[in-house]
Amino acid sequence: MKKKILTLIVGLMSTMAVNAQSTYDTPPFGQGKTYVGASMSSFDIGSVMSTFHIDLSAKGGYMISDNILALGDVSYNYMKDADGIFSVGAGLRYYIEQNGIFLGAGAKLADMTNDLDFQPNISLGYAFFLNRTVTIEPELYFNLSTKDIDNSNYGFRVGFGIYLFNE
């Protein structure tokens, strides 16, 4: 009886150790992780951004394969002397060689004073890990307006991300 209980305990501990080891060995941008993030920008250049503004963004995504993140984005751009711009978008990020540098491409639909504008975008950033899951993410970006070239902008934003392990 004691041997059976001891064998059961050793088996359970081995199973937990293997599970913990596999979680720890998961690469930072490995397939199956969930991403949650937020960013803020007020460093844009472009004619639409001639007044004070703050752009707040919430992001969520899923690593569809190693180094490739499918991403959804909801943002609101507050402007002091104009109506705010609400937008939703989707895109992909490719992380280069597990070092944190990423290239992004996507598109968003922006509501500019009840006038919808389709805006393809590209970005270049770096995911700096503070610990195993939390990052600070500085990023350069360019949004191209298909409705009016004057509404296009580029700039710098800083955000944070959380990469969650899926068990």
Side-chain angles (χ1 to χ4, degrees):
M1 181 69 165
K2 288 182 181 180
K3 284 184 180 182
K4 288 182 183 179
I5 293 174
L6 182 61
T7 304
L8 181 63
I9 291 172
V10 169
L12 286 172
M13 291 177 72
S14 298
T15 303
M16 288 189 287
V18 168
N19 188 27
Q21 184 67 28
S22 66
T23 299
Y24 187 75
D25 289 342
T26 303
F29 307 109
Q31 180 177 2
K33 286 190 176 181
T34 302
Y35 171 82
V36 178
S39 64
M40 182 181 82
S41 170
S42 62
F43 312 106
D44 299 45
I45 299 172
S47 62
V48 73
M49 303 304 167
S50 59
T51 62
F52 173 78
H53 75 99
I54 294 178
D55 186 14
L56 301 171
S57 177
K59 301 174 183 179
Y62 184 77
M63 298 296 274
I64 56 176
S65 72
D66 287 352
N67 301 329
I68 298 177
L69 174 69
L71 192 63
D73 183 334
V74 176
S75 65
Y76 181 75
N77 190 343
Y78 167 79
M79 289 185 246
K80 182 178 179 182
D81 297 330
D83 290 337
I85 300 171
F86 177 77
S87 64
V88 295
L92 293 173
R93 272 190 190 172
Y94 175 70
Y95 294 88
I96 301 172
E97 296 293 326
Q98 301 291 331
N99 63 10
I101 296 173
F102 61 85
L103 302 171
K108 64 182 180 177
L109 194 57
D111 181 9
M112 305 181 79
T113 318
N114 297 322
D115 190 18
L116 293 179
D117 187 9
F118 178 75
Q119 298 179 343
N121 56 65
I122 57 173
S123 62
L124 170 66
Y126 180 70
F128 177 76
F129 278 87
L130 298 175
N131 62 26
R132 285 184 42 230
T133 58
V134 178
T135 59
I136 292 178
E137 300 178 345
E139 183 177 12
L140 298 171
Y141 65 92
F142 176 70
N143 294 324
L144 176 67
S145 173
T146 58
K147 186 162 291 286
D148 183 359
I149 195 71
D150 289 335
N151 290 336
S152 299
N153 58 57
Y154 58 94
F156 175 76
R157 69 178 146 235
V158 177
F160 72 91
I162 301 171
Y163 294 82
L164 303 170
F165 298 99
N166 292 335
E167 299 295 329

